[in-house]
Amino acid sequence: MSIILNFFKKIVKSAGGKAADEAPKVRIYPRSEHTISRAQISEHALKVLYRLQKSGYDAYLVGGCVRDLLLGREPKDFDVVTNAHPEQIKGVFRNCRLIGRRFRLAHVHFGNEVIEVATFRGFGNEQDDNQVTNDEGRLLRDNVYGTIEQDVWRRDFTVNALYYNIKDFSVVDYTGGMDDHKSGMLRLIGDPETRFREDPVRMLRAVRFAVKLGFNIDPDCQKTIYGSADLLYSIPSARLYDEVLKLFLSGFALQTFEMLRHYGLFQVLFPDTEKSLAVEENGFPKLLLIKALQNSDNRIAEGKTVTPYFLLAAFLWEPLRMLTRINQERGMDDYNAFQSAAGEILSRQVRRTAFPRHISLAMREVWSLQPKFEQRIGPRPARLLTHPRFRAAYDFLLLRAETGDAGPELADWWSKFQQADEAAQKKMTQPSRNLKNSRTRRRNGKKKNAGPTENPPS
């Protein structure tokens, strides 16, 4: 019991202004004091909640779905927490799969919808096979189970630590999350330095939630983030790639980008891009990435899709251009300078955010097609139209033209060429009269100056 109390004192020291020796005070908001209705909850999530309850277990909705329901938003997914252990959950649901090693979870499948069910997490007495941390304090494995009173202190932010109880339709609050919810404050549960060392990705989550919800980050949390960016270097690059997708494909990419740079986190995710942004051209900042982020947000707002490889290609375009110029100055021809730079930039970036091979191949194709837009004579333009990545590469050309990286006339020509019929396309790709005349003069000059193949007879 003393171990649990000491852990609790450490966690709660800076949470919601509570004293370290103060016991957790639960506040229960009955149905009449909150806005969540069962009509807003997925029918499959309700099935899971009711079946767990019927089987004798406690069952709650928790996390982002409760937070979003209170904000009047439609949750992306519904997470359930229970006192049933993973194997017991699997015994209740035939359509259940157990996943995860770091955190053992149950996924209950209903067609295309998956309801994630977790067991209440406990504190853990010391390192064993169920709970393992590294030398820096980061949790590597955490399968220690406990009670709801313990589980709440293992969550990250107070607004994500609200529990909707299916038994009486109440909202259970141990951390002051409802008050923070009403005041628009994103507050970390516990001591920020300790919690960020446990899982540095929480810093990225703080930025993502603050932007998405329009909340302010608690000052103590902000102060700690400023000096803790280097902790992210300990996170596997594959996990950081997953976080990058969440950060920049949620419809708030531009605001997220600005806040990540503000806290010094962006340079850990995209070091080459951060360096390139410090270099101005003709006294003006580079705008292609800013425009790409704006366009991405606009597309998502309109219900359109955004492909990760296109946005990542925009992130790394300036580093690619800079390294290409360096290669050219070293004496490499244009083609090899470009290809060598592309390979090196991708190789360096994968060490930070390990995107899959099909993503890097698509990025490289979008980049490699850019010089081909300059070739507008003969059969090459028609062939380029049939390339599988033409549309993405063309959109990238438009982006370059909007920000001064490519000529507007070039982008306009390709816009017209796509819409033209076959006869008009053939006319557009014929060499100009001056070009024909210059070619004719060159051929005639060669004939006129050509000497006999043999010596004349004497």
Side-chain angles (χ1 to χ4, degrees):
M1 183 65 185
S2 60
I3 294 173
I4 293 178
L5 181 59
N6 289 335
F7 183 91
F8 168 73
K9 286 180 178 181
K10 185 179 179 182
I11 288 292
V12 82
K13 184 176 180 182
S14 65
K18 294 182 177 68
D21 58 351
E22 184 180 340
K25 292 181 179 178
V26 60
R27 180 169 179 185
I28 297 177
Y29 293 82
R31 177 64 186 88
S32 59
E33 294 184 21
H34 65 79
T35 58
I36 298 177
S37 167
R38 279 175 293 171
Q40 302 169 284
I41 301 172
S42 157
E43 64 172 315
H44 296 136
L46 289 173
K47 284 181 182 179
V48 171
L49 291 167
Y50 281 126
R51 194 177 301 176
L52 283 169
Q53 184 188 9
K54 186 178 179 181
S55 300
Y57 301 109
D58 295 331
Y60 299 81
L61 285 181
V62 70
C65 61
V66 178
R67 179 199 67 216
D68 290 345
L69 288 170
L70 289 169
L71 287 170
R73 301 182 180 186
E74 182 179 353
K76 186 177 68 173
D77 46 40
F78 291 86
D79 294 335
V80 173
V81 68
T82 177
N83 58 347
H85 287 200
E87 292 75 15
Q88 293 172 321
I89 299 169
K90 189 172 183 180
V92 174
F93 302 96
R94 288 183 298 176
N95 52 331
C96 174
R97 287 181 57 201
L98 300 185
I99 66 162
R101 184 163 178 245
R102 184 168 178 262
F103 298 118
R104 196 70 168 155
L105 299 168
H107 278 184
V108 184
H109 293 258
F110 297 91
N112 293 328
E113 186 176 12
V114 176
I115 306 299
E116 186 171 279
V117 185
T119 304
F120 292 136
R121 284 180 288 167
F123 293 142
N125 297 341
E126 58 184 25
Q127 287 208 144
D128 56 24
D129 289 341
N130 291 322
Q131 187 178 66
V132 179
T133 61
N134 65 7
D135 293 338
E136 298 173 342
R138 181 164 65 87
L139 282 170
L140 302 178
R141 190 183 308 158
D142 188 12
N143 289 317
V144 177
Y145 305 129
T147 64
I148 187 173
E149 291 83 6
Q150 296 170 346
D151 183 82
V152 67
W153 304 109
R154 303 299 307 277
R155 299 191 175 272
D156 48 14
F157 302 100
T158 60
V159 295
N160 289 344
L162 298 170
Y163 298 76
Y164 176 79
N165 190 350
I166 195 62
K167 185 180 293 186
D168 58 7
F169 318 124
S170 63
V171 172
V172 183
D173 181 8
Y174 285 90
T175 64
M178 286 290 273
D179 290 336
D180 287 338
H181 193 282
K182 292 171 185 175
S183 63
M185 180 63 67
L186 192 68
R187 192 188 309 277
L188 201 65
I189 298 173
D191 174 57
E193 184 175 350
T194 301
R195 303 312 303 279
F196 287 148
R197 285 193 176 278
E198 284 178 352
D199 187 358
V201 169
R202 285 176 178 144
M203 294 184 289
L204 302 180
R205 286 167 60 84
V207 169
R208 177 158 60 91
F209 289 143
V211 171
K212 176 184 175 180
L213 304 175
F215 282 15
N216 295 315
I217 299 177
D218 171 65
D220 288 339
C221 187
Q222 290 190 53
K223 184 179 178 180
T224 306
I225 293 176
Y226 279 120
S228 303
D230 286 353
L231 293 175
L232 287 170
Y233 287 115
S234 67
I235 301 299
S237 56
R239 188 178 176 205
L240 287 182
Y241 172 70
D242 292 337
E243 291 300 321
V244 163
L245 296 185
K246 295 174 185 177
L247 286 164
F248 293 108
L249 297 180
S250 61
F252 306 95
L254 182 55
Q255 288 177 267
T256 299
F257 165 74
E258 292 170 346
M259 189 174 287
L260 287 172
R261 293 195 77 200
H262 174 73
Y263 289 116
L265 300 173
F266 183 78
Q267 63 183 354
V268 179
L269 300 176
F270 292 94
D272 285 324
T273 305
E274 179 65 29
K275 290 176 185 176
S276 73
L277 292 171
V279 180
E280 295 184 344
E281 286 188 350
N282 302 319
F284 293 97
K286 298 183 174 78
L287 299 176
L288 184 139
L289 177 54
I290 302 299
K291 190 66 179 176
L293 295 170
Q294 287 177 334
N295 290 351
S296 172
D297 290 341
N298 292 338
R299 286 184 62 85
I300 291 173
E302 295 168 3
K304 299 177 181 178
T305 59
V306 176
T307 54
Y309 72 79
F310 185 91
L311 197 55
L312 289 168
F315 268 111
L316 297 176
W317 177 247
E318 288 300 339
L320 172 64
R321 291 181 64 212
M322 291 174 64
L323 187 54
T324 298
R325 283 197 294 268
I326 292 173
N327 287 341
Q328 290 169 334
E329 291 168 0
R330 291 171 177 168
M332 296 177 68
D333 62 78
D334 291 352
Y335 175 81
N336 285 315
F338 185 87
Q339 294 299 328
S340 175
E344 186 172 343
I345 290 296
L346 287 170
S347 177
R348 293 204 298 238
Q349 183 58 42
V350 165
R351 295 177 202 143
R352 298 305 318 131
T353 55
F355 36 75
R357 181 171 173 78
H358 73 271
I359 294 291
S360 60
L361 288 176
M363 293 167 63
R364 193 158 187 157
E365 284 184 300
V366 168
W367 291 339
S368 297
L369 291 180
Q370 298 308 303
K372 297 184 184 297
F373 285 112
E374 301 286 348
Q375 303 167 358
R376 291 179 278 174
I377 302 300
R380 290 180 177 178
R383 286 203 301 266
L384 187 55
L385 281 180
T386 64
H387 194 284
R389 300 287 182 201
F390 170 80
R391 184 66 203 187
Y394 165 72
D395 288 342
F396 201 84
L397 172 66
L398 295 182
L399 189 63
R400 293 174 56 216
E402 286 184 69
T403 55
D405 184 47
E409 181 271 336
L410 180 64
D412 183 60
W413 188 93
W414 277 98
S415 297
K416 292 177 181 177
F417 183 73
Q418 294 176 75
Q419 303 300 323
D421 58 30
E422 187 175 348
Q425 287 182 348
K426 187 174 182 180
K427 185 176 181 181
M428 291 176 69
T429 55
Q430 287 179 346
S432 64
R433 184 181 299 273
N434 291 336
L435 181 60
K436 287 182 178 179
N437 290 340
S438 65
R439 287 178 177 174
T440 301
R441 284 195 296 270
R442 284 199 299 271
R443 285 197 300 268
N444 291 339
K446 288 179 181 179
K447 291 179 181 179
K448 184 175 181 179
N449 295 328
T453 58
E454 297 178 353
N455 291 328
S458 57

